Amino acid sequence: MEKPATTSAQATALAHLDDIQSSLSAWTRTIFDFGETAWREYQSAAWYVKLLKQEGFSVEEGSGGMPTAFCAHWSNGPGPTIGMYAEYDAVPGNCQDAATVRRPRPGLGEHAGGHTDPHSGLGVASLGGLLAAKAAMQHHGIGGTLRFTGEPAEKVRGSKPIHAAKGYYDGLAGMISFHPFYMLPLCNTARWDTHCGAAYAMIYRFICDEPENWVRAGDGAPIPQAHSAVRAPGANDALSMMYMASKALRDSMLPHQGGWSISEAILTAGQATADNLPAGLAEIQYMIRVPTLAMAEQVTAMLDRNAEAAAAMSGCRHERHWVSKSRPGLANHAMAEIAFEALSAVGPPRWDDVANAVAREIQVNAGGTATDEPFIAEMERLIAPQDAEAILRRDLPPSQANSTSDDYTDMSWHTPTARFYVARPALRAAGGHAWPSWVMNALGGIAATIDPMVICASRTIALAALRLLEDKAAREAAMDEFVKRTSGGIGGSSWIAPLCDYEPPIHFRWPEYVTTARGRDWWIPKNTAA
């Protein structure tokens, strides 16, 4: 396939990325080492804000009422506004050093946060594309505005439904959404028709604040004299019943195809004293990933019934708190073509001899055998969006319009949105050997293995952004398609309005780093010093 020609502004952007390539590598490692998790990305957000201000951007900190979110703008005069964004949240329980052996980052235990996707590379790649587009706009006098949002808590589909409801994606000529990937067919391509689906996430809180009402007067006491006396079951019992009842009903609620899922996480209350008292507080979070909003509502109704029953059986009351209500994605072929044309001009990422040597070392340290070609071959190949779509549809029923989950979908209802993927480093299967999860996490932090993805994605984002800024016809085609698909644009007859009717869920006991007399540590301590 012949690479599309680039404009002089695009060539300037690519040259700028060559100049800052070493910085991009260092920045990726910085965010990787922060390893901060959902709603608690304090260092990561502050790092982005400081750098953006140094680059001349005006920055709103704490955008949308979220302390670790931001919204940055830079303008070069009248013209269209193009959107890009960074994610930077990591995942609890995945603390891995940027090393070829399994070990947590220095001073931490394996239960701390770590980058799995990795959002460290996602955010810095988008930042690189942003800065390159800015440099080209300045050099060639291209009018327009760049908007760059900081999006915390993607792993719980957190910030984008909130930003969308508060207008942060309105007024854009287009949004460029990038994500690392390695699974076929969405490797080095753009989404075509089948975008990600709906996602609901909520926390059920059980509170036992009136244990004295569990028994009749005279039959016992809330704080009995004898520790064998009757007591209210309490919040832990309610949570356990909720967990088992909802797990047992999964097979009745979900088919065994189509990428549906319900997953849960228990947010602990830190009740480490095993006294003969009922637990006063317990919380469980559910994430529902389904193709349609109707399905999300159906599963939510089932969970509501289970929570009500569990609370009644255990002497508790219950509350439901929303974490996310995210819409399914809206396709835009014109934007997909813009993104894929940019990716084609850049070419797929390439991994050199140094990267291959790192990969072979990991193969051995992970219990496998070093191979001549350690990486998945498709990582260095492009696949056209239409071809990827055809492969993706093979395992989906014709009636299913959306599959899997990511909250970029909320952006797609406010502006024409391109969703594209660049391959992240991943080892190919060898001799039936299953690679442990630390392998992928390490590959996402080691410069030799993650930098090719970051460089390729940065170049693609910069070229796509400049195409939207310079090519009025392409920009108008994308907007015309958006208006047609929504039957009138924002507020049109086929438009889905924001679902966010809740405050940012920042006050829950999300896992985080803490500072105590033992020093800075994860909330599950690793440090043993007094």
Side-chain angles (χ1 to χ4, degrees), residues 369-388:
T369 302
T371 59
D372 291 339
E373 297 180 353
F375 290 116
I376 296 172
E378 285 77 10
M379 287 165 33
E380 296 187 340
R381 300 173 188 166
L382 300 179
I383 179 170
Q386 298 91 330
D387 295 337

Side-chain angles (χ1 to χ4, degrees), residues 181-241:
F181 222 68
Y182 74 96
M183 293 180 288
L184 296 178
L186 298 177
C187 185
N188 299 320
T189 191
R191 287 262 185 181
W192 192 245
D193 285 319
T194 308
H195 280 255
C196 290
Y200 277 16
M202 69 286 284
I203 290 171
Y204 289 95
R205 170 180 282 175
F206 298 97
I207 308 103
C208 184
D209 49 12
E210 295 182 351
E212 68 276 7
N213 292 332
W214 174 253
V215 295
R216 296 189 304 274
D219 287 350
I223 306 177
Q225 297 298 316
H227 279 195
S228 61
V230 66
R231 68 163 195 175
N236 287 348
D237 298 78
L239 185 147
S240 297
M241 286 187 278

Side-chain angles (χ1 to χ4, degrees), residues 44-352:
S44 302
W47 182 91
Y48 273 102
V49 167
K50 180 180 179 180
L51 188 144
L52 288 164
K53 287 182 176 180
Q54 291 173 346
E55 290 289 337
F57 284 76
S58 61
V59 185
E60 176 192 353
E61 300 180 57
S63 54
M66 298 173 283
T68 54
F70 62 82
C71 182
H73 285 90
W74 179 84
S75 182
N76 203 38
T81 301
I82 308 303
M84 290 162 268
Y85 64 90
E87 295 171 8
Y88 31 81
D89 61 318
V91 181
N94 283 270
C95 184
Q96 169 62 34
D97 198 5
T100 59
V101 296
R102 180 178 184 176
R103 71 181 185 215
R105 300 191 307 281
L108 297 169
E110 62 183 10
H111 298 294
H115 284 279
T116 56
D117 271 344
H119 288 170
S120 46
L122 182 162
V124 172
S126 298
L127 175 65
L130 175 83
L131 298 180
K134 171 178 173 278
M137 292 171 70
Q138 287 179 307
H139 185 77
H140 295 273
I142 300 171
T145 298
L146 301 176
R147 184 184 302 172
F148 192 69
T149 51
E151 306 288 354
E154 189 279 331
K155 286 299 183 181
V156 293
R157 309 298 183 259
S159 66
K160 298 185 192 76
I162 297 170
H163 269 154
K166 294 180 181 292
Y168 284 87
Y169 309 135
D170 293 346
L172 294 173
M175 172 64 77
I176 304 167
S177 172
F178 155 66
H179 203 283
F181 222 68
Y182 74 96
M183 293 180 288
L184 296 178
L186 298 177
C187 185
N188 299 320
T189 191
R191 287 262 185 181
W192 192 245
D193 285 319
T194 308
H195 280 255
C196 290
Y200 277 16
M202 69 286 284
I203 290 171
Y204 289 95
R205 170 180 282 175
F206 298 97
I207 308 103
C208 184
D209 49 12
E210 295 182 351
E212 68 276 7
N213 292 332
W214 174 253
V215 295
R216 296 189 304 274
D219 287 350
I223 306 177
Q225 297 298 316
H227 279 195
S228 61
V230 66
R231 68 163 195 175
N236 287 348
D237 298 78
L239 185 147
S240 297
M241 286 187 278
M242 174 73 177
Y243 174 84
M244 293 308 299
S246 301
K247 198 173 186 70
L249 286 175
R250 283 184 183 176
D251 287 345
S252 300
M253 293 298 300
L254 300 178
H256 297 282
Q257 63 177 353
W260 303 25
S261 69
I262 304 177
S263 55
E264 69 284 303
I266 295 173
L267 303 180
T268 63
Q271 295 155 334
T273 301
D275 203 353
N276 188 39
L277 297 172
L281 179 67
E283 296 169 342
I284 186 168
Q285 178 192 191
Y286 284 92
M287 170 66 77
I288 306 164
R289 298 175 178 89
V290 287
T292 70
L293 293 175
M295 296 172 185
E297 293 287 347
Q298 182 182 11
V299 177
T300 300
M302 178 269 289
L303 292 174
D304 284 349
R305 292 194 298 269
N306 288 351
E308 182 178 3
M313 287 189 288
S314 55
C316 295
R317 60 184 175 89
H318 77 285
E319 301 169 351
R320 184 189 66 196
H321 299 270
W322 287 108
V323 175
S324 176
K325 293 168 76 173
S326 185
R327 294 165 281 182
L330 181 69
N332 192 296
H333 291 173
M335 287 295 291
E337 289 172 343
I338 288 171
F340 188 69
E341 183 174 310
L343 180 58
S344 299
V346 170
R350 303 289 183 187
W351 281 266
D352 60 16

Side-chain angles (χ1 to χ4, degrees), residues 96-103 356-371 374 427 433-440 442-443 446:
Q96 169 62 34
D97 198 5
T100 59
V101 296
R102 180 178 184 176
R103 71 181 185 215
N356 282 304
V358 168
R360 294 186 193 103
E361 189 174 334
I362 290 177
Q363 285 179 313
V364 173
N365 292 337
T369 302
T371 59
L427 301 183
H433 184 77
W435 302 113
S437 59
W438 72 262
V439 168
M440 289 284 283
L443 289 169
I446 298 171

Side-chain angles (χ1 to χ4, degrees), residues 515-530:
T515 300
T516 70
R518 298 182 302 275
R520 186 176 186 270
D521 202 352
W522 189 239
W523 74 279
I524 301 174
K526 165 65 174 176
N527 296 331
T528 57

